[in-house]
Amino acid sequence: MTSIGGAQMVDWNLAVATATRLVRPGPDISREEARAVVAELRRHAKASEEHVRTFTRMVPEGAEPEDTPVLVVDRAGWIKANVAGFRELLRPLLAKMESRRTGGPGGAVLGAVGGKVTGVELGMLLSFLASRVLGQYETFAPATRDLPASADGGGRLLLVAPNIVHVERELDVDPHDFRLWVALHEETHRTQFTAVPWLRDHLQGEIQTFLDETDVDPMTFLERLREAAQSLSGAGRPEGEQGESDSRSLVDIVQTPAQREVLGRLTAVMSLLEGHADFVMDGVGPDVVGSVSEIREKFQQRRAQGAGRLDQALRRLLGLDAKLRQYKDGEKFVRSVVEEVGMDGFNRVWTSPNTLPTKAEIAQPADWVARVHRKAES
């Protein structure tokens, strides 16, 4: 990361160390059982490739599965992988903030202290998430010796073994069925990116546009952060006047108007990707996962309830509740479109960025069908 006088905007090593130190221990499991879980997850990931390709009719273009490796990791491994991803994505933004900050008095001292504070804060966030994520297709992080990726510098599928074991025990479901069910969802994400070669660059471009609009003046950012905290706490508003903004996350509140436009497009794409993965694993599930109905019902209940009041508050603050809505809204969109125009008709969504649904079309699938299909047929 860009640094001036040895001072970094984010102390990435401290972020990893903090998250690894604070993350909850995994479930109690013997070494032999852990090895068996890892081996089974790898087998399920391999089997899921053909299941997903057959169901979706999506075939990777010039990227075979070995080019986008499957890594079965523990919570510390997930933390390291995501810090590498954040570091890569935020590199241009932090370089810009670095140059502005060091131009002022005391910039080097502020950088040394601020980088450590930010590293600790990022580590605390990752420690919370690291015990909850079951799997992830990581798109942007570069390959390292410990964390290989695809040949073009991005793309690897992570399955977080201790979290999968924890949830299957918590739900009291068949562990072998649950592991395959999770693998189907994550393999769908890998298929999306390997079969749609422009998707990665499109997403990266949208994210960079979002970051380019970020206020880089530290005082401006702190002021907006203070307003966000007041809005989330309800401070300064009479009782009974907590309106729609109460449901907004910290991320929502600190955005500029231009960023909200970009976020609307990103939300639509992520709703599509997550909803499509849910639709696929439920579509494939009845043929290969015997207890899929029980797993889906119990998992949906777990998603909705969270793990307690603190968990719910953190999910809301971090915007994770919005991610849960993406699964639900996106799955409805995919299901509605497939019912109307079939799988091949739905797959027109992958033609180009112009055929991706808008945020409004996610809520109104018929509008997407009218725009993409009927316009093309006229």
Side-chain angles (χ1 to χ4, degrees):
M1 178 56 57
T2 301
S3 62
I4 303 294
Q8 296 179 329
M9 289 293 295
V10 180
D11 189 328
W12 299 106
N13 292 332
L14 183 58
V16 172
T18 300
T20 304
R21 184 176 68 254
L22 295 179
V23 70
R24 297 175 183 176
D28 187 16
I29 185 172
S30 69
R31 180 171 297 181
E32 292 74 17
E33 186 179 1
R35 288 173 177 167
V37 170
V38 170
E40 183 175 13
L41 287 172
R42 287 176 176 155
R43 290 196 304 271
H44 286 329
K46 180 64 177 177
S48 296
E49 294 171 12
E50 189 60 33
H51 292 317
V52 171
R53 290 188 189 188
T54 300
F55 184 81
T56 63
R57 304 175 193 170
M58 298 174 67
V59 179
E61 297 182 10
E64 288 305 310
E66 57 266 23
D67 292 330
T68 53
V70 177
L71 307 180
V72 182
V73 298
D74 58 11
R75 292 170 177 174
W78 182 88
I79 288 167
K80 291 177 182 177
N82 277 267
V83 167
F86 282 136
R87 186 171 185 168
E88 185 67 20
L89 270 180
L90 296 177
R91 188 182 298 274
L93 171 65
L94 294 184
K96 183 167 61 174
M97 295 181 70
E98 186 80 44
S99 63
R100 175 170 294 195
R101 185 199 64 199
T102 53
V109 175
L110 178 62
V113 176
K116 292 187 180 299
V117 170
T118 308
V120 169
E121 290 173 341
L122 178 59
M124 293 173 66
L125 167 63
L126 291 173
S127 72
F128 171 76
L129 296 174
S131 61
R132 287 157 173 78
V133 176
L134 301 182
Q136 173 185 351
Y137 183 78
E138 190 181 43
T139 315
F140 305 113
T144 66
R145 184 178 61 182
D146 297 329
L147 294 166
S150 65
D152 63 356
R156 56 187 168 220
L157 193 156
L158 306 177
L159 295 172
V160 191
N163 295 350
I164 293 172
V165 172
H166 171 77
V167 174
E168 69 192 25
R169 290 178 177 179
E170 183 181 86
L171 298 181
D172 190 24
V173 295
D174 182 285
H176 309 294
D177 282 359
F178 184 75
R179 294 165 196 172
L180 176 55
W181 189 70
V182 172
L184 288 169
H185 181 101
E186 302 307 332
E187 177 58 35
T188 302
H189 287 317
R190 186 164 68 151
T191 298
Q192 290 164 348
F193 282 92
T194 55
V196 186
W198 54 263
L199 183 58
R200 177 179 180 269
D201 289 342
H202 173 71
L203 270 179
Q204 188 170 26
E206 290 282 56
I207 292 170
Q208 290 304 326
T209 299
F210 181 91
L211 294 176
D212 287 344
E213 293 292 337
T214 300
D215 290 327
V216 293
D217 175 25
M219 293 306 296
T220 300
F221 181 79
L222 287 174
E223 179 61 30
R224 298 182 68 188
L225 192 63
R226 189 177 303 112
E227 293 174 1
Q230 292 174 350
S231 177
L232 287 168
S233 66
R237 286 176 291 168
E239 184 177 355
E241 290 189 7
Q242 286 81 2
E244 182 180 349
S245 63
D246 282 346
S247 64
R248 296 166 67 193
S249 71
L250 178 62
V251 176
D252 291 326
I253 293 170
V254 299
Q255 290 162 16
T256 66
Q259 284 177 311
R260 292 192 185 100
E261 291 184 13
V262 178
L263 188 70
R265 298 194 297 270
L266 281 170
T267 298
V269 176
M270 297 311 298
S271 296
L272 170 68
L273 298 180
E274 297 293 357
H276 183 235
D278 266 12
F279 176 78
V280 170
M281 72 179 180
D282 284 347
V284 174
D287 293 329
V288 297
V289 181
S291 56
V292 63
S293 297
E294 178 190 4
I295 291 173
R296 164 58 78 185
E297 180 180 358
K298 290 184 175 180
F299 194 76
Q300 290 286 52
Q301 291 174 355
R302 183 181 184 274
R303 270 182 180 173
Q305 294 171 357
R309 297 181 70 179
L310 176 60
D311 183 81
Q312 291 174 6
L314 286 170
R315 289 193 330 186
R316 175 186 169 197
L317 179 64
L318 298 173
L320 300 183
D321 281 341
K323 183 174 178 62
L324 298 183
R325 289 194 296 273
Q326 289 174 4
Y327 287 98
K328 182 178 178 181
D329 296 344
E331 196 274 340
K332 285 183 177 179
F333 170 84
V334 175
R335 186 174 301 279
S336 296
V337 172
V338 171
E339 287 176 353
E340 184 166 351
V341 297
M343 185 64 73
D344 290 335
F346 165 77
N347 281 340
R348 288 195 189 181
V349 78
W350 311 116
T351 304
S352 75
N354 292 331
T355 56
L356 291 172
T358 65
K359 188 176 180 180
E361 288 171 341
I362 288 288
Q364 298 291 334
D367 292 347
W368 180 86
V369 172
R371 177 172 68 87
V372 173
H373 281 266
R374 291 167 193 162
K375 182 178 180 180
E377 294 166 1
S378 60

Coordinates of all heavy atoms in Angstrom, one line a residue, residues 11 47 51 53 96 176-177 217 268 315 337 354 375:
D11 N -3.1 0.0 8.5 CA -2.1 -1.0 8.8 C -2.7 -2.4 8.6 O -3.4 -3.0 9.4 CB -1.7 -0.8 10.3 CG -0.5 -1.7 10.7 OD1 -0.4 -2.8 10.1 OD2 0.3 -1.3 11.6
A47 N -18.1 -31.9 -7.7 CA -19.4 -32.5 -8.2 C -20.3 -31.3 -8.6 O -21.1 -31.5 -9.6 CB -20.0 -33.4 -7.2
H51 N -23.3 -30.2 -12.0 CA -24.7 -29.9 -11.6 C -25.1 -28.5 -12.0 O -26.2 -28.3 -12.6 CB -24.9 -30.1 -10.1 CG -24.7 -31.5 -9.6 ND1 -25.2 -32.6 -10.3 CD2 -24.1 -32.0 -8.5 CE1 -25.0 -33.7 -9.6 NE2 -24.2 -33.4 -8.5
R53 N -23.6 -26.3 -14.2 CA -23.5 -26.1 -15.6 C -24.7 -26.7 -16.3 O -25.3 -26.0 -17.2 CB -22.2 -26.7 -16.2 CG -21.0 -26.0 -15.8 CD -19.8 -26.6 -16.6 NE -18.5 -26.1 -16.1 CZ -17.3 -26.3 -16.6 NH1 -17.3 -27.0 -17.8 NH2 -16.2 -25.8 -16.1
K96 N -4.9 8.3 -3.0 CA -5.4 9.6 -3.2 C -5.5 10.3 -1.8 O -5.1 11.4 -1.6 CB -6.7 9.6 -3.9 CG -7.3 11.0 -4.2 CD -8.5 11.0 -5.1 CE -9.6 10.1 -4.7 NZ -10.8 10.2 -5.6
H176 N -23.9 -34.1 5.4 CA -23.4 -34.3 4.1 C -24.3 -33.6 3.0 O -23.7 -33.0 2.1 CB -23.4 -35.8 3.8 CG -22.7 -36.6 4.8 ND1 -21.3 -36.5 5.0 CD2 -23.1 -37.5 5.7 CE1 -21.0 -37.3 6.0 NE2 -22.0 -37.9 6.5
D177 N -25.6 -33.6 3.3 CA -26.5 -32.8 2.4 C -26.2 -31.3 2.5 O -26.2 -30.6 1.5 CB -27.9 -33.1 2.8 CG -28.4 -34.4 2.2 OD1 -27.7 -35.1 1.6 OD2 -29.6 -34.8 2.5
D217 N -11.5 14.4 1.9 CA -11.1 15.4 3.0 C -11.5 14.7 4.4 O -12.6 14.4 4.6 CB -11.9 16.7 2.8 CG -11.6 17.6 4.0 OD1 -10.6 17.5 4.6 OD2 -12.5 18.5 4.2
A268 N -28.4 -3.9 -7.7 CA -29.1 -4.7 -8.6 C -28.3 -5.9 -9.1 O -28.8 -7.0 -9.2 CB -29.6 -3.9 -9.8
R315 N -25.7 -6.4 12.3 CA -26.1 -6.6 10.9 C -26.7 -5.4 10.3 O -26.4 -5.0 9.2 CB -27.1 -7.8 10.9 CG -26.5 -9.1 11.1 CD -27.4 -10.3 10.8 NE -28.8 -10.0 10.9 CZ -29.7 -10.9 10.7 NH1 -29.4 -12.1 10.4 NH2 -31.0 -10.6 10.8
V337 N -38.6 -14.6 -14.1 CA -38.1 -14.5 -15.4 C -38.0 -15.9 -16.1 O -38.5 -16.1 -17.2 CB -36.8 -13.8 -15.5 CG1 -36.2 -13.8 -16.9 CG2 -36.9 -12.3 -15.1
N354 N -25.6 -3.8 -20.5 CA -26.9 -3.2 -20.8 C -28.0 -4.1 -20.6 O -29.2 -3.7 -20.4 CB -26.9 -2.8 -22.3 CG -25.9 -1.6 -22.5 OD1 -25.6 -0.8 -21.6 ND2 -25.4 -1.6 -23.7
K375 N -38.3 -5.8 -26.8 CA -37.6 -4.8 -27.6 C -36.7 -5.5 -28.7 O -36.6 -5.1 -29.8 CB -36.7 -3.9 -26.7 CG -36.0 -2.8 -27.5 CD -35.2 -1.9 -26.5 CE -34.5 -0.8 -27.2 NZ -33.7 0.0 -26.3

